[in-house]
Amino acid sequence: MTNAANAVEFSSNLSSSRSTTQSQPQSQIQSRFAHGGTQSLPTRRICVFGVPLDLGASRRGVDMGPSAVRVAGLEARLEALGHQVSDGGNIRVEIAETQSSGSTNARFLQEIADTCTRTAEAVVKSLEDGMTPLVLGGDHSLAAGSVSGVAEFYRRQGQKIGVIWMDAHSDINTPETSPSGNVHGMPLAALLGLGPGSGLEPLSQIFGYSPKISPENTVIIGVRDIDAAERENIRRAGIAEVYTMRDIDERGMRTVMEEALRAAGRGTAGYHVSLDMDWIDPEDAPGVGTPVRGGATYREAHLAMEILADHGRLLSFEIVEVNPIIDEHNRTADLAVELACSAFGKKIL
């Protein structure tokens, strides 16, 4: 199936799902919202779609992440807040066993780039329809597509976007610097236009231009496992706002988030939030592709999402790296849904 055909298929799914959601009387939505007492922000029309991509990582299983998050009740729990939610289905992804992995420096790069292009087109379509994209992964390489889609939509309006990258890893390797050749460690480099001539172009040149985002509006939060070459790549890229777990420990999540959102929002239409579930400590999120001890706690994660909601400038949101194969009774997917609800305005009181 061609990219265009795939986009048409997505659009058809989206239109069908939207008509079902919109057929519900508006008064019923408002009544349920008012009685819930948990949502104080304007409600949104949210478009959910999955990207069951696991070509970018060595450990398999994250391709089942979108299903796990859906099973955890994402749509119903967002609708309980008063939002109108449409599910556009999954973006088509090639299966590893049917493909050649290609270069050991960037395995499955072309197949991942094709998936990311389809993802970007779907994101643009949902934004054109006045909806907020909520993308479910899948490994983190898909962010090269989702962010490209948001950036392209606002570029057409003469605006740029910020990015909040919440992750145990910085994901800013290139094929030249990656010790593993796993592309899920490269999407931020692709979005920032690093590695020209390194072979990363299929990922960085989606929509025919690069970079997609500016370093001064890119913020990394919660990193604690960075490759040696990535430190230099962060400096080369010019990202000034990098908050490690030590920063969170010493200064607190509130201070970090307030500074991060100011940086990402400065001169932009708003920001895309890319939430890798390994950002959270494995005690609370065990079912992730690459767990690293010492991450954000359950309450720190919720606080970050609540502060994000308070600012009201969220353009799009994604949750990646949920791996139900190594999860415990779908705990990680359930937490992912809780955090999404907090990001979209759920309050304790």
mmCIF file of all heavy atoms in Angstrom, residues 55-58 100-112 173-186 198-200:
data_model
loop_
_atom_site.group_PDB
_atom_site.id
_atom_site.type_symbol
_atom_site.label_atom_id
_atom_site.label_comp_id
_atom_site.label_asym_id
_atom_site.label_seq_id
_atom_site.Cartn_x
_atom_site.Cartn_y
_atom_site.Cartn_z
ATOM 1 N N LEU A 55 10.788 -1.956 15.183
ATOM 2 C CA LEU A 55 11.984 -2.141 14.359
ATOM 3 C C LEU A 55 13.184 -1.358 14.886
ATOM 4 O O LEU A 55 14.316 -1.643 14.512
ATOM 5 C CB LEU A 55 11.694 -1.688 12.920
ATOM 6 C CG LEU A 55 10.598 -2.445 12.173
ATOM 7 C CD1 LEU A 55 10.337 -1.785 10.825
ATOM 8 C CD2 LEU A 55 10.979 -3.895 11.988
ATOM 9 N N GLY A 56 12.939 -0.376 15.760
ATOM 10 C CA GLY A 56 14.017 0.500 16.198
ATOM 11 C C GLY A 56 14.762 0.027 17.420
ATOM 12 O O GLY A 56 15.718 0.681 17.850
ATOM 13 N N ALA A 57 14.356 -1.095 17.996
ATOM 14 C CA ALA A 57 14.960 -1.560 19.248
ATOM 15 C C ALA A 57 15.392 -3.015 19.132
ATOM 16 O O ALA A 57 14.926 -3.751 18.266
ATOM 17 C CB ALA A 57 13.969 -1.400 20.390
ATOM 18 N N SER A 58 16.274 -3.419 20.026
ATOM 19 C CA SER A 58 16.720 -4.819 20.050
ATOM 20 C C SER A 58 15.690 -5.707 20.740
ATOM 21 O O SER A 58 15.418 -6.820 20.304
ATOM 22 C CB SER A 58 18.063 -4.934 20.767
ATOM 23 O OG SER A 58 19.071 -4.242 20.078
ATOM 24 N N SER A 100 14.760 -7.002 5.468
ATOM 25 C CA SER A 100 16.200 -7.048 5.719
ATOM 26 C C SER A 100 16.550 -5.901 6.652
ATOM 27 O O SER A 100 16.073 -4.770 6.482
ATOM 28 C CB SER A 100 16.969 -6.903 4.406
ATOM 29 O OG SER A 100 18.343 -6.687 4.658
ATOM 30 N N SER A 101 17.396 -6.189 7.648
ATOM 31 C CA SER A 101 17.711 -5.160 8.646
ATOM 32 C C SER A 101 18.611 -4.068 8.092
ATOM 33 O O SER A 101 18.721 -2.985 8.676
ATOM 34 C CB SER A 101 18.367 -5.794 9.874
ATOM 35 O OG SER A 101 19.602 -6.403 9.529
ATOM 36 N N GLY A 102 19.261 -4.324 6.957
ATOM 37 C CA GLY A 102 20.099 -3.293 6.353
ATOM 38 C C GLY A 102 21.379 -3.051 7.128
ATOM 39 O O GLY A 102 21.950 -3.966 7.732
ATOM 40 N N SER A 103 21.836 -1.803 7.151
ATOM 41 C CA SER A 103 23.097 -1.439 7.780
ATOM 42 C C SER A 103 23.079 -1.720 9.271
ATOM 43 O O SER A 103 22.086 -1.437 9.960
ATOM 44 C CB SER A 103 23.400 0.043 7.544
ATOM 45 O OG SER A 103 24.494 0.463 8.331
ATOM 46 N N THR A 104 24.179 -2.235 9.792
ATOM 47 C CA THR A 104 24.278 -2.484 11.235
ATOM 48 C C THR A 104 24.383 -1.184 12.018
ATOM 49 O O THR A 104 24.184 -1.180 13.231
ATOM 50 C CB THR A 104 25.504 -3.366 11.553
ATOM 51 O OG1 THR A 104 26.687 -2.733 11.039
ATOM 52 C CG2 THR A 104 25.353 -4.746 10.924
ATOM 53 N N ASN A 105 24.689 -0.071 11.340
ATOM 54 C CA ASN A 105 24.773 1.222 12.027
ATOM 55 C C ASN A 105 23.406 1.852 12.264
ATOM 56 O O ASN A 105 23.273 2.742 13.113
ATOM 57 C CB ASN A 105 25.626 2.201 11.214
ATOM 58 C CG ASN A 105 27.078 1.804 11.184
ATOM 59 O OD1 ASN A 105 27.564 1.149 12.097
ATOM 60 N ND2 ASN A 105 27.769 2.186 10.124
ATOM 61 N N ALA A 106 22.407 1.407 11.517
ATOM 62 C CA ALA A 106 21.050 1.945 11.647
ATOM 63 C C ALA A 106 20.086 0.922 11.070
ATOM 64 O O ALA A 106 19.587 1.059 9.960
ATOM 65 C CB ALA A 106 20.909 3.285 10.940
ATOM 66 N N ARG A 107 19.790 -0.087 11.850
ATOM 67 C CA ARG A 107 19.003 -1.215 11.365
ATOM 68 C C ARG A 107 17.564 -0.809 11.054
ATOM 69 O O ARG A 107 16.943 -0.071 11.816
ATOM 70 C CB ARG A 107 19.026 -2.356 12.384
ATOM 71 C CG ARG A 107 20.398 -3.003 12.538
ATOM 72 C CD ARG A 107 20.300 -4.331 13.267
ATOM 73 N NE ARG A 107 19.772 -4.131 14.607
ATOM 74 C CZ ARG A 107 20.520 -3.806 15.656
ATOM 75 N NH1 ARG A 107 21.826 -3.632 15.509
ATOM 76 N NH2 ARG A 107 19.983 -3.649 16.837
ATOM 77 N N PHE A 108 17.059 -1.315 9.924
ATOM 78 C CA PHE A 108 15.683 -1.067 9.467
ATOM 79 C C PHE A 108 15.402 0.430 9.265
ATOM 80 O O PHE A 108 14.255 0.866 9.358
ATOM 81 C CB PHE A 108 14.659 -1.651 10.454
ATOM 82 C CG PHE A 108 14.744 -3.137 10.642
ATOM 83 C CD1 PHE A 108 15.253 -3.672 11.822
ATOM 84 C CD2 PHE A 108 14.328 -4.007 9.650
ATOM 85 C CE1 PHE A 108 15.337 -5.047 12.011
ATOM 86 C CE2 PHE A 108 14.401 -5.387 9.829
ATOM 87 C CZ PHE A 108 14.918 -5.902 11.010
ATOM 88 N N LEU A 109 16.421 1.208 8.963
ATOM 89 C CA LEU A 109 16.240 2.660 8.870
ATOM 90 C C LEU A 109 15.188 3.033 7.828
ATOM 91 O O LEU A 109 14.319 3.878 8.085
ATOM 92 C CB LEU A 109 17.561 3.347 8.546
ATOM 93 C CG LEU A 109 17.487 4.870 8.352
ATOM 94 C CD1 LEU A 109 16.985 5.551 9.614
ATOM 95 C CD2 LEU A 109 18.853 5.419 7.949
ATOM 96 N N GLN A 110 15.243 2.439 6.643
ATOM 97 C CA GLN A 110 14.298 2.828 5.600
ATOM 98 C C GLN A 110 12.870 2.442 5.966
ATOM 99 O O GLN A 110 11.931 3.217 5.756
ATOM 100 C CB GLN A 110 14.678 2.189 4.255
ATOM 101 C CG GLN A 110 13.840 2.704 3.088
ATOM 102 C CD GLN A 110 13.940 4.216 2.935
ATOM 103 O OE1 GLN A 110 15.020 4.769 2.764
ATOM 104 N NE2 GLN A 110 12.793 4.911 2.990
ATOM 105 N N GLU A 111 12.690 1.247 6.525
ATOM 106 C CA GLU A 111 11.350 0.819 6.934
ATOM 107 C C GLU A 111 10.801 1.726 8.037
ATOM 108 O O GLU A 111 9.608 2.066 8.053
ATOM 109 C CB GLU A 111 11.380 -0.633 7.421
ATOM 110 C CG GLU A 111 11.604 -1.666 6.324
ATOM 111 C CD GLU A 111 13.069 -1.770 5.886
ATOM 112 O OE1 GLU A 111 13.947 -1.172 6.558
ATOM 113 O OE2 GLU A 111 13.338 -2.449 4.884
ATOM 114 N N ILE A 112 11.667 2.120 8.967
ATOM 115 C CA ILE A 112 11.245 3.030 10.037
ATOM 116 C C ILE A 112 10.887 4.393 9.457
ATOM 117 O O ILE A 112 9.873 5.001 9.844
ATOM 118 C CB ILE A 112 12.356 3.163 11.097
ATOM 119 C CG1 ILE A 112 12.502 1.834 11.853
ATOM 120 C CG2 ILE A 112 12.076 4.305 12.066
ATOM 121 C CD1 ILE A 112 13.732 1.748 12.741
ATOM 122 N N ASN A 173 21.670 9.987 19.249
ATOM 123 C CA ASN A 173 22.745 9.356 18.485
ATOM 124 C C ASN A 173 22.477 9.495 16.990
ATOM 125 O O ASN A 173 21.338 9.734 16.556
ATOM 126 C CB ASN A 173 22.847 7.864 18.833
ATOM 127 C CG ASN A 173 23.864 7.598 19.924
ATOM 128 O OD1 ASN A 173 25.012 8.040 19.827
ATOM 129 N ND2 ASN A 173 23.459 6.879 20.958
ATOM 130 N N THR A 174 23.516 9.324 16.206
ATOM 131 C CA THR A 174 23.424 9.208 14.748
ATOM 132 C C THR A 174 24.011 7.852 14.373
ATOM 133 O O THR A 174 24.621 7.177 15.212
ATOM 134 C CB THR A 174 24.222 10.327 14.064
ATOM 135 O OG1 THR A 174 25.621 10.127 14.319
ATOM 136 C CG2 THR A 174 23.798 11.702 14.565
ATOM 137 N N PRO A 175 23.835 7.421 13.128
ATOM 138 C CA PRO A 175 24.466 6.156 12.730
ATOM 139 C C PRO A 175 25.972 6.138 12.967
ATOM 140 O O PRO A 175 26.550 5.077 13.213
ATOM 141 C CB PRO A 175 24.129 6.063 11.240
ATOM 142 C CG PRO A 175 22.829 6.789 11.110
ATOM 143 C CD PRO A 175 22.944 7.947 12.066
ATOM 144 N N GLU A 176 26.603 7.298 12.938
ATOM 145 C CA GLU A 176 28.051 7.363 13.163
ATOM 146 C C GLU A 176 28.424 7.176 14.627
ATOM 147 O O GLU A 176 29.511 6.677 14.932
ATOM 148 C CB GLU A 176 28.588 8.724 12.689
ATOM 149 C CG GLU A 176 28.447 8.954 11.198
ATOM 150 C CD GLU A 176 28.784 10.381 10.815
ATOM 151 O OE1 GLU A 176 28.409 11.310 11.548
ATOM 152 O OE2 GLU A 176 29.434 10.556 9.762
ATOM 153 N N THR A 177 27.525 7.576 15.540
ATOM 154 C CA THR A 177 27.881 7.546 16.967
ATOM 155 C C THR A 177 27.197 6.440 17.758
ATOM 156 O O THR A 177 27.596 6.159 18.889
ATOM 157 C CB THR A 177 27.522 8.889 17.633
ATOM 158 O OG1 THR A 177 26.098 9.080 17.611
ATOM 159 C CG2 THR A 177 28.202 10.046 16.919
ATOM 160 N N SER A 178 26.173 5.810 17.191
ATOM 161 C CA SER A 178 25.404 4.821 17.941
ATOM 162 C C SER A 178 26.227 3.561 18.220
ATOM 163 O O SER A 178 26.772 2.950 17.293
ATOM 164 C CB SER A 178 24.145 4.434 17.161
ATOM 165 O OG SER A 178 23.482 3.354 17.796
ATOM 166 N N PRO A 179 26.293 3.125 19.470
ATOM 167 C CA PRO A 179 27.002 1.880 19.778
ATOM 168 C C PRO A 179 26.188 0.632 19.449
ATOM 169 O O PRO A 179 26.732 -0.465 19.393
ATOM 170 C CB PRO A 179 27.249 1.988 21.291
ATOM 171 C CG PRO A 179 26.149 2.845 21.789
ATOM 172 C CD PRO A 179 25.846 3.824 20.692
ATOM 173 N N SER A 180 24.880 0.781 19.237
ATOM 174 C CA SER A 180 24.008 -0.372 19.033
ATOM 175 C C SER A 180 23.425 -0.462 17.630
ATOM 176 O O SER A 180 23.049 -1.544 17.187
ATOM 177 C CB SER A 180 22.846 -0.329 20.030
ATOM 178 O OG SER A 180 21.996 0.773 19.755
ATOM 179 N N GLY A 181 23.327 0.668 16.930
ATOM 180 C CA GLY A 181 22.650 0.685 15.638
ATOM 181 C C GLY A 181 21.145 0.667 15.741
ATOM 182 O O GLY A 181 20.445 0.526 14.735
ATOM 183 N N ASN A 182 20.612 0.844 16.967
ATOM 184 C CA ASN A 182 19.159 0.872 17.176
ATOM 185 C C ASN A 182 18.622 2.273 16.899
ATOM 186 O O ASN A 182 19.017 3.243 17.552
ATOM 187 C CB ASN A 182 18.819 0.465 18.608
ATOM 188 C CG ASN A 182 19.099 -1.005 18.884
ATOM 189 O OD1 ASN A 182 19.090 -1.823 17.972
ATOM 190 N ND2 ASN A 182 19.346 -1.330 20.142
ATOM 191 N N VAL A 183 17.706 2.379 15.961
ATOM 192 C CA VAL A 183 17.232 3.679 15.516
ATOM 193 C C VAL A 183 16.373 4.365 16.578
ATOM 194 O O VAL A 183 16.222 5.590 16.555
ATOM 195 C CB VAL A 183 16.479 3.551 14.176
ATOM 196 C CG1 VAL A 183 15.898 4.877 13.716
ATOM 197 C CG2 VAL A 183 17.420 3.007 13.105
ATOM 198 N N HIS A 184 15.842 3.614 17.559
ATOM 199 C CA HIS A 184 15.058 4.299 18.597
ATOM 200 C C HIS A 184 15.952 5.189 19.467
ATOM 201 O O HIS A 184 15.430 5.974 20.272
ATOM 202 C CB HIS A 184 14.254 3.307 19.454
ATOM 203 C CG HIS A 184 15.041 2.522 20.458
ATOM 204 N ND1 HIS A 184 14.456 1.954 21.579
ATOM 205 C CD2 HIS A 184 16.345 2.190 20.518
ATOM 206 C CE1 HIS A 184 15.380 1.311 22.282
ATOM 207 N NE2 HIS A 184 16.519 1.437 21.657
ATOM 208 N N GLY A 185 17.253 5.111 19.292
ATOM 209 C CA GLY A 185 18.173 6.024 19.957
ATOM 210 C C GLY A 185 18.571 7.206 19.088
ATOM 211 O O GLY A 185 19.491 7.956 19.444
ATOM 212 N N MET A 186 17.882 7.434 17.965
ATOM 213 C CA MET A 186 18.278 8.474 17.003
ATOM 214 C C MET A 186 17.206 9.513 16.655
ATOM 215 O O MET A 186 17.524 10.471 15.937
ATOM 216 C CB MET A 186 18.740 7.809 15.706
ATOM 217 C CG MET A 186 19.849 6.802 15.871
ATOM 218 S SD MET A 186 20.350 6.073 14.267
ATOM 219 C CE MET A 186 21.339 4.685 14.839
ATOM 220 N N SER A 198 25.511 11.051 7.292
ATOM 221 C CA SER A 198 25.699 9.835 8.090
ATOM 222 C C SER A 198 24.738 8.725 7.681
ATOM 223 O O SER A 198 24.833 7.615 8.190
ATOM 224 C CB SER A 198 25.490 10.144 9.573
ATOM 225 O OG SER A 198 24.134 10.437 9.836
ATOM 226 N N GLY A 199 23.796 9.044 6.783
ATOM 227 C CA GLY A 199 22.793 8.067 6.395
ATOM 228 C C GLY A 199 21.472 8.231 7.107
ATOM 229 O O GLY A 199 20.535 7.469 6.879
ATOM 230 N N LEU A 200 21.366 9.242 7.985
ATOM 231 C CA LEU A 200 20.135 9.458 8.735
ATOM 232 C C LEU A 200 19.084 10.227 7.934
ATOM 233 O O LEU A 200 17.959 10.416 8.389
ATOM 234 C CB LEU A 200 20.459 10.216 10.037
ATOM 235 C CG LEU A 200 19.429 10.200 11.171
ATOM 236 C CD1 LEU A 200 19.037 8.777 11.569
ATOM 237 C CD2 LEU A 200 19.945 10.968 12.380
#
